[in-house]
Amino acid sequence: MIWSSLPATAVIIVVFSLVAQVLAASGLSYNGLALTPQMGWDTFNAYALDYDEDILMKNAQRLVDLGLRDLGYNVVILDDAMTEKTRSHDGKLIANATRFPSGLKSISKRFHNMGLQFGVYSSAGRFTCGGYPASLGYEEQDAQWWADLGVDYLKHDNCFNEGQSGNPKLSHDRFAVMSKALNATGRKITYSLCNWGDDKPWEWASTISNSARISGDIYDSFSRPSAGCPCSQDDFYCQIPGYHCNVMNILGKASAIVSKNQPGYWNDLDMLEVGNGGMSYDEYKTHFSMWAIIKSPLIMGNKLDELSPEDYAILINPAVIAINQDPLGSAASRQWRVQEDKKDEYGYGEIQVWSGELANGDHIVAFINGGSGDQVISSTLVEVFDGLRNSPKVQKSWDVYDLWGADTVMSNEVAARILGGESKLSHAEGYFNASRHGFQDAIARNDSRVVGTYAKTVPAKGTLTADIPRHGVALFRLRETSEGKGQKDEL
Ligand SMILES: *[C@@H]1O[C@H](CO)[C@@H](O)[C@H](O)[C@H]1NC(C)=O
Ligand SMILES: *[C@@H]1O[C@H](CO)[C@@H](O)[C@H](O)[C@H]1NC(C)=O
Ligand SMILES: *[C@@H]1O[C@H](CO)[C@@H](O)[C@H](O)[C@H]1NC(C)=O
Ligand SMILES: *[C@@H]1O[C@H](CO)[C@@H](O)[C@H](O)[C@H]1NC(C)=O
């Protein structure tokens, strides 16, 4: 009896877990959207309130020409300042006709013809943060206007909320009105909350939205403290989110809530600063790597006609984007951190090790050197795999692929030619077209542009080591060593 029932149980467990995975991927999204984190470009970080139709169309064209759209960066968000300062006599928002001479509908159509989505911005308050009329009390009317314009994405801010915050229920109910209004239009619109971690949206926003900001606004600095972002990286009950939060500060705030991510709902670490000039090459690589593996939406906030070859090569690294877009949707988590005893001009630096699981059974591992000088970082497999000495994963040998190696980073020379329009993107030049080939297919084929550059094999119970420059990162895909190779390693 026992013997014969065992295999059947095993089969049921396997079938159940497959069904559960499929359900998890499609069923958790409240509106069926954002099964992987959103990707795109937003006006705010580079242009603030000063942009117009020309700037929009120029950047949209760059998304296409630089191959960014085909790696997934497909939404363009008009962030604030879209309208006149007052509504019409019957309460309608009025687009600024000087800013957008051919009209928002025409811009929307042109985006769609370019294979891009049209994103807009408002606030769940009386005014937007820039002082334009916002949607509190006008949710249905505004949602319908956007749906008529062909809007695909709403970034919804938290300014001038008339005190309707201070506990999760108040915030939830205020943002839920817009969620319902968007749904009632019948148009599929990705709904992205921008309430700065106020009232802990990771506890309540997944049933009404696709993502929510978890901190005050990012600024273009790796670790320089600012009075504008008063809560420390360990202040998980932050009351004053601020607006000048550095990369390490936001990472700290994200570390406690990575498990809240799921297909359809993402913790938003705020827009990418890559390309804006405030950080070094290594710092931008760390910023981009960590946003990707923690499954933040990847929304650029730069000037696409002023990108340097180095920054462009960071943003189009297909191996790193593939981690962000992995169908399992499981964010990497921090395994350990050590504070340095030396201070530099920004205070005490830290070493951190993060790891996470991927859909095909591979793992992602990141070492961050937030310290004051270059250094070697090591971590045992026990530490990498959740600190569990008896984990079956620790008993296996792993092939290590470097995600910032020669196969995945476009050379400066090629990047410069493409940015200058002298060369077309092609497979031969090292460009990976995800729209054509698909990340998952490429991974199954062991395409090194997506899997990474083979670096070494770490034996069972072994240690992973990397040499990392100041404020730099090492990012590795770990793949179980195949049978033949594993035996060789044991000899
Ligand atoms: C990527 O592939 C798609 C589909 O084949 C194609 O339409 C697009 O032009 C390609 N993009 C680039 C940048 O080559
Ligand atoms: C409308 O756009 C023009 C051109 O960008 C700008 O000068 C003007 O201030 C805008 N109006 C409002 C109300 O923002
Ligand atoms: C509206 O909500 C229902 C129920 O959650 C969902 O099935 C449907 O896809 C939503 N429609 C739109 C347009 O988002
Ligand atoms: C890809 O690599 C894995 C592990 O290194 C190996 O088991 C598999 O056979 C390879 N697949 C292909 C298509 O080469």
Side-chain angles (χ1 to χ4, degrees), residues 86-94 133 137-142 145:
T86 50
R87 291 177 180 267
S88 72
H89 61 90
D90 53 354
K92 288 201 182 100
L93 291 170
I94 309 163
Y138 292 90
E139 286 85 356
E140 283 174 23
Q141 197 166 7
D142 292 356
W145 187 53

Side-chain angles (χ1 to χ4, degrees), residues 399 401 444-446 479-480 482:
D399 293 342
Y401 296 86
R445 283 196 318 271
N446 285 349
R479 171 168 289 188
E480 211 185 307
S482 57

Side-chain angles (χ1 to χ4, degrees), residues 29-33 179-180 182-189 207:
S29 174
Y30 89 103
N31 59 359
L33 301 174
S179 181
K180 241 176 104 182
L182 292 173
N183 184 283
T185 67
R187 186 171 173 85
K188 288 284 185 190
I189 298 177
T207 52

